[in-house]
Amino acid sequence: MLVRFTKCHGSGNDFPLVDARDWSLSDGEWASLARVLATRDGPVGGDGILALVVGDEAAAFGMRMFNSDGSEAETCLNGLRCVARAGFAAAGVETATVRLKTSHAQVEHVGDLAPGVYTVAETAGPVSLATADWPIIGAPERLIDAVVPGLSSQRAFTAIAIPNPHLVTFVDRIDEAELVAVGEACEAAPAWLPNRANVSFVERRGDTTLFVRTFERGVGLTNSCGSAMAASTYAACLTGRVEFGREITVLNRGGLVRARAEVDAMVTLNGNATWEWDGEVEVDLASERAGEVTVLRRYDDEVAAWRAVTEEARPTAPA
C-alpha cells in the first residue's frame, strides 16, 4: 500500500501521521505499519505512528496511536496535538472533541506558544488514582508518594492513569541509568503489572517549573511524553509541590509545554504541533517492509521556529 504521511512532533515526541479516515486496517495491520514506519532504523522513524480517524456522536474526529513496537496506547498527548491540527484542517474547525481509544479529550487551536509555533491546548482526564484499574496487583487502592509493591526500587511513586498508566517519582537529580532500570522492569509486564506502565523521574525547579524524563511503555527512553508531563503535573499538585490551578512550565529533552492541573482531576497542556515534512512510501504489511521514502514537502520555517524554543529551554535541561 502507498502510505502518505506527515512527519511531525509535539515537544520533540516525533511521529509519522496518517489520515486514515477512509482506511480499514485490522489491529494486526496497524501494528505492522507502526513497526515499519516508526522503528528508528526504518525509513521514517518515530516514537510511534499517529492516525487521524473518524469520530463518533460526541467527537468531530478521532485518534489512534501505535507505539513503535506495534502496541496501541490509550492516548498520547503530544501526538494528540498533532492529530488535532490535522483534524482542524480536515473539519474546518478550531476547537473539537476528539475520540481516543478509551476516552475523549478537548482540543483548541490557541495563540502561538512562541513565534511561528502552531499551538494546541488540550484538556484530558479526569485522572484516575485507582490502582485496580491498571491493575497493580498487591497495591493499596491508591499509591501516592509511596513505594510500589513488587518494584525493587525504594523510591516513592505516585500512580496515575490519564488514561494510560504512569508511575511518577520526584528526585533531586535524574539518574538515567536508574530510570531505565525501573522502566525496563515495568516494560517486562511482570505478574504484578500485566499491562506495563510509563515511568517518569521529575525534578521540581521552583514553584512553577518541572523537568520530566520518561521511560515510555512500548518505546523506551524518550525525549518527551505528553501524558507523562500531564501526569507529573497532577502528581506535583496532589503531593503539594505545585498549586492546583496554577500554570507551570514543564521542560523535557524535546522542549516544553505549559501545564495546569485542576482539583477536578482535569489537566490542560498548551504545546506545539509542528510539521517537519510530508512524504510517501510503499509498504508491504505482510512482510513488514518498506521501499524508499519520497519527500513531498518540507516545513523549514516551522522546524526553525521550534528550534528557537528548544535552544531557549536547553540551558535549563540537564546534559
Side-chain angles (χ1 to χ4, degrees):
M1 63 183 292
L2 181 65
V3 178
R4 301 190 73 164
F5 61 90
T6 296
K7 185 65 185 299
C8 58
H9 77 84
S11 199
N13 212 180
D14 67 317
F15 314 91
L17 162 65
V18 297
D19 183 346
R21 288 174 295 163
D22 60 355
W23 290 17
S24 57
L25 298 185
S26 68
D27 287 349
E29 288 171 328
W30 273 114
S32 293
L33 185 62
R35 287 191 291 266
V36 171
L37 293 188
T39 182
R40 284 296 176 189
D41 59 359
V44 181
D47 289 324
I49 185 170
L50 303 173
L52 172 66
V53 297
V54 296
D56 56 22
E57 62 279 359
F61 50 86
M63 168 182 127
R64 296 187 76 177
M65 185 273 180
F66 292 83
N67 296 308
S68 55
D69 69 351
S71 61
E72 185 171 9
E74 292 88 346
T75 189
C76 168
L77 294 183
N78 285 331
L80 173 59
R81 298 196 302 275
C82 297
V83 173
R85 177 175 176 176
F88 292 154
V93 298
E94 293 282 277
T95 183
T97 299
V98 184
R99 177 176 63 88
L100 307 176
K101 182 182 179 183
T102 60
S103 62
H104 290 79
Q106 303 300 313
V107 292
E108 181 181 4
H109 180 205
V110 295
D112 290 351
L113 186 71
V117 176
Y118 189 101
T119 303
V120 175
E122 54 191 345
T123 300
V127 165
S128 171
L129 300 174
T131 59
D133 291 345
W134 291 40
I136 307 177
I137 307 300
E141 291 183 6
R142 305 197 307 177
L143 277 170
I144 301 173
D145 251 352
V147 173
V148 180
L151 191 62
S152 60
S153 173
Q154 293 304 299
R155 289 196 180 275
F157 287 87
T158 297
I160 288 174
I162 188 171
N164 49 345
H166 291 267
L167 291 172
V168 177
T169 187
F170 292 88
V171 299
D172 293 330
R173 185 167 179 81
I174 293 168
D175 181 331
E176 286 196 355
E178 181 187 1
L179 170 58
V180 169
V182 175
E184 288 180 343
C186 294
E187 182 75 0
W192 60 271
L193 192 67
N195 293 320
R196 305 180 296 170
N198 303 282
V199 179
S200 292
F201 282 17
V202 183
E203 296 177 10
R204 178 178 178 270
R205 300 180 177 179
D207 295 335
T208 59
T209 305
L210 302 176
F211 182 88
V212 179
R213 193 81 166 111
T214 301
F215 189 99
E216 189 173 355
R217 180 183 61 169
V219 179
L221 197 62
T222 182
N223 283 337
S224 176
C225 173
S227 58
M229 291 187 287
S232 298
T233 300
Y234 189 80
C237 293
L238 188 66
T239 58
R241 293 175 167 90
V242 171
E243 295 178 22
F244 278 110
R246 185 173 190 178
E247 185 173 85
I248 66 170
T249 299
V250 184
L251 303 167
N252 54 67
R253 286 288 180 85
L256 60 87
V257 298
R258 311 292 185 199
R260 185 180 70 255
E262 305 289 356
V263 293
D264 64 0
M266 303 299 288
V267 182
T268 298
L269 301 183
N270 282 29
N272 71 303
T274 297
W275 284 180
E276 296 184 312
W277 51 281
D278 295 335
E280 63 181 17
V281 62
E282 191 70 37
V283 176
D284 185 327
L285 295 178
S287 64
E288 296 193 1
R289 294 182 181 276
E292 293 293 323
V293 171
T294 300
V295 176
L296 303 174
R297 179 182 177 183
R298 296 190 182 275
Y299 299 86
D300 294 338
D301 289 347
E302 291 196 36
V303 171
W306 185 251
R307 186 182 302 117
V309 172
T310 59
E311 288 174 352
E312 182 179 349
R314 188 170 293 120
T316 62

